[in-house]
Amino acid sequence: MYRQALANGEKIFAVAPMIDWTDTRCRFLHRQLSKRALLFTEMIVADAIIHGQRDRLLGYHPQEHPVALQLGGSDPAKLAEAVRIAEDYRYDEINLNVGCPSDRVQSGTFGACLMREPDVVAQCVSAMKAVATVPVTVKCRIGVDDQEPETVLPDFLGRVVAAGADAVWIHARKAWLQGLSPKENREVPPLDYELVYRMKRENPDVFVGINGGIADLDQACDHLQHMDGVMLGRAAYHNTSILADVDHRIYGGEARQPDWMGLRDTMMAYAAGYIAEGGRLNHVTRHMVGLFQGMPGARRFRQILSSDATRPGAGPEVIEAAFAAVDFNPTKELAG
């Protein structure tokens, strides 16, 4: 995938892995809006895959392809074992998390704190590559705490690429592991897009993607003038409808109006199947709240999903009622 994209000058658009957000139900929704965007799982810890309920952790809907599995860990042997197990689930990519700043990740000595241990990351990548049949990639920060990104990032990038990484996705902020919450780490440290651009210029034969603070597809397209790939996180989640333009804007597909009624029917059927298997409606609808930002009726849409979907016995009819609140064809007032 990445080698072909580089060879052909093709760009890749991705929705970032986000803990507690990009689960299989979220990804199914996103796939209905874009057939080509690369989707990522939440970070799944290697130990959990080795010892936990594998189908629950790794299972997903076949429509989600292309989909990447993001792993957390710092033990090369355990990560390799997790990759072996995941082979049966046929993910399109395996990604190593070297960017998450949360306390629970730090306590396990993985995530962003691994920016301080590039040799360990390189060993992990090498071990994963030895058993993987799909691309192995890394998602990282530009540095942590008092590190100097201009020194740290080029060295880090060189080591992981030498270890076999097929691509590196760079969140263009430092992570402050002491004193800032995970939310603050997504907003407070300044963005340094120019440094990430420089990493691409200095590594023309390496696929380098950019992430962090990208608000919409206009900004995404601007970044793609410099980078091989662009990754949106919160913007794609909180304003989900922008994904409906990805196939046209990023991949050159035909411009067309989204089939919102088709989306409604698909999500109703999906929710019905999920409920029949013992799930709850709000596990599906909580990922839909970000649809229709700025459209007439969007507030009522959100209210219906947020309140009615949590009620005992709530079914797909809640989705139908929420869509009915949105005016998909607003009429403009005639100038008098």
Side-chain angles (χ1 to χ4, degrees):
M1 173 170 59
Y2 290 107
R3 198 167 296 168
Q4 180 180 341
L6 272 177
N8 297 336
E10 298 170 350
K11 306 298 185 178
I12 293 179
F13 176 96
V15 178
M18 293 175 279
I19 293 176
D20 297 328
W21 287 3
T22 52
D23 61 23
T24 183
R25 295 165 292 282
C26 174
R27 299 191 305 269
F28 181 85
L29 169 65
H30 289 179
R31 180 58 68 221
Q32 306 316 305
L33 297 167
S34 169
K35 299 303 179 188
R36 299 197 61 182
L38 173 62
L39 306 180
F40 280 75
T41 69
E42 305 170 85
M43 182 189 68
I44 305 176
V45 178
D47 273 328
I49 292 173
I50 295 168
H51 303 293
Q53 300 177 27
R54 295 170 183 177
D55 286 347
R56 182 180 64 81
L57 291 167
L58 296 173
Y60 61 92
H61 194 284
Q63 280 191 28
E64 292 177 36
H65 291 287
V67 58
L69 168 65
Q70 188 183 65
L71 295 178
S74 58
D75 183 315
K78 289 181 178 180
L79 284 163
E81 180 60 20
V83 171
R84 285 193 196 93
I85 293 167
E87 284 287 307
D88 290 341
Y89 292 84
R90 300 188 181 280
Y91 282 93
D92 299 288
E93 170 184 338
I94 308 292
N95 178 267
L96 179 63
N97 184 317
V98 191
C100 182
S102 78
D103 292 340
R104 54 179 165 168
V105 168
Q106 290 182 57
S107 65
T109 320
F110 49 89
C113 62
L114 285 175
M115 291 298 298
R116 297 194 194 103
E117 302 184 58
D119 285 339
V120 172
V121 177
Q123 291 166 21
C124 291
V125 168
S126 180
M128 294 162 69
K129 281 289 292 183
V131 297
T133 58
V134 295
V136 171
T137 66
V138 172
K139 186 172 187 292
C140 66
R141 292 277 183 143
I142 61 173
V144 295
D145 296 337
D146 294 325
Q147 287 182 329
E148 292 295 336
E150 293 81 1
T151 302
V152 168
L153 188 58
D155 177 68
F156 179 90
L157 183 62
R159 289 173 190 252
V160 298
V161 169
D166 294 284
V168 180
W169 291 93
I170 304 174
H171 185 140
R173 280 189 176 97
K174 267 189 179 184
W176 285 95
L177 303 180
Q178 304 296 326
L180 291 183
S181 69
K183 181 178 185 296
E184 290 169 328
N185 261 301
R186 293 190 295 267
E187 300 169 351
V188 174
L191 289 156
D192 192 346
Y193 292 139
E194 287 300 326
L195 175 61
V196 182
Y197 293 168
R198 180 161 68 84
M199 293 303 96
K200 176 55 202 174
R201 290 195 301 271
E202 294 177 358
N203 296 273
D205 298 327
V206 178
F207 185 102
V208 184
I210 194 166
N211 170 229
I214 304 169
D216 53 41
L217 292 188
D218 287 339
Q219 292 183 17
C221 289
D222 289 343
H223 285 296
L224 289 176
Q225 299 299 311
H226 308 273
M227 305 300 298
D228 301 312
V230 64
M231 179 180 280
L232 268 66
R234 286 168 296 155
Y237 191 89
H238 291 308
N239 189 11
T240 319
S241 300
I242 67 174
L243 296 177
D245 258 347
V246 164
D247 293 357
H248 167 58
R249 295 282 305 277
I250 307 297
Y251 293 100
E254 181 183 349
R256 60 179 65 187
Q257 285 295 110
D259 180 6
W260 296 126
M261 294 302 99
L263 177 66
R264 177 200 64 187
D265 295 345
T266 296
M267 295 311 298
M268 287 177 66
Y270 179 79
Y274 180 70
I275 292 167
E277 294 176 354
R280 297 184 57 177
L281 178 67
N282 66 304
H283 295 167
V284 175
T285 58
R286 72 185 186 95
H287 302 300
M288 301 173 64
V289 173
L291 286 166
F292 312 131
Q293 293 284 353
M295 292 177 63
R299 172 185 273 185
R300 181 62 184 143
F301 174 85
R302 294 192 295 271
Q303 289 173 339
I304 292 171
L305 290 187
S306 298
S307 59
D308 295 358
T310 60
R311 293 174 180 167
E317 68 279 356
V318 173
I319 297 175
E320 185 174 29
F323 270 73
V326 181
D327 184 356
F328 293 104
N329 298 292
T331 55
K332 297 182 179 178
E333 292 184 6
L334 294 176

